[in-house]
């Protein structure tokens, strides 16, 4: 298990620019011994709707290819990938995919909701 921290500062203006509530979408890649890039997994998690400090678990997964695709992935790198990233967010279509769990990415998020009452937006 490898562990490292990345510090990011992201501001979202959801009242003017966003359709729906914001989500964090990730694609995790790794390099093997020969500097070949391999997809480790996809994942997404929704930003909490309440202000404060939150710990979020983003469960990652990747497509589980055929035996031939896995053999090619082992020797040549790469591997099966999602052709249409919208499938990741659509629960109706995602259940049709053959996938394998790959791990958990931990996010510590501080949420500040400002000026929501001015636009008559309620939050819990």
């Amino acid at each position: 298990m490898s562990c490292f921290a990345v510090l990011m500062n992201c501001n979202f203006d959801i009242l003017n620019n966003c359709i729906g509530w914001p989500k964090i979408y990730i694609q995790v890649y790794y390099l093997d011994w020969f500097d070949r890039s391999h997809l480790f997994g996809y994942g997404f998690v929704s930003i909490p709707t309440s202000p404060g400090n939150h710990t979020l678990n983003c469960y990652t997964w990747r497509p589980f290819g055929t035996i031939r695709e896995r053999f090619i992935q082992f020797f040549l790198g790469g591997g099966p990938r999602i052709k249409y990233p919208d499938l990741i967010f659509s629960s109706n279509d995602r259940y049709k995919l053959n996938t394998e769990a790959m791990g958990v990415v931990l996010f510590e998020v501080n949420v500040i909701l400002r000026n929501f009452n001015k636009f008559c937006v309620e939050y819990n």
Side-chain angles (χ1 to χ4, degrees):
M1 177 178 168
S2 55
C3 183
F4 61 91
V6 176
L7 180 61
M8 296 186 305
N9 183 10
C10 300
N11 298 317
F12 298 105
D13 185 3
I14 67 165
L15 295 176
N16 296 324
N17 300 328
C18 198
I19 299 172
W21 199 256
K23 295 176 179 57
I24 298 173
Y25 165 66
I26 61 171
Q27 291 184 15
V28 182
Y29 289 86
Y30 71 97
L31 296 175
D32 66 4
W33 302 317
F34 303 109
D35 284 338
R36 296 178 301 192
S37 175
H38 294 270
L39 173 69
F40 191 76
Y42 298 103
F44 78 95
V45 65
S46 294
I47 302 290
T49 59
S50 60
N53 187 1
H54 303 275
T55 301
L56 308 174
N57 291 323
C58 181
Y59 296 93
T60 60
W61 52 272
R62 70 176 175 191
F64 190 80
T66 63
I67 296 295
R68 181 178 182 272
E69 290 171 332
R70 295 179 68 75
F71 187 76
I72 291 170
Q73 179 182 4
F74 181 78
F75 287 105
L76 299 177
R81 296 191 174 148
I82 300 292
K83 187 173 182 179
Y84 303 107
D86 294 342
L87 287 175
I88 295 168
F89 303 112
S90 172
S91 58
N92 293 335
D93 296 327
R94 193 175 59 225
Y95 79 92
K96 298 175 187 175
L97 298 174
N98 190 13
T99 63
E100 63 180 324
M102 294 306 295
V104 179
V105 176
L106 183 71
F107 288 96
E108 290 186 17
V109 179
N110 292 309
V111 177
I112 300 172
L113 303 177
R114 192 176 84 178
N115 296 329
F116 273 51
N117 56 358
K118 184 172 28 173
F119 295 101
C120 299
V121 176
E122 296 181 11
Y123 58 89
N124 54 357

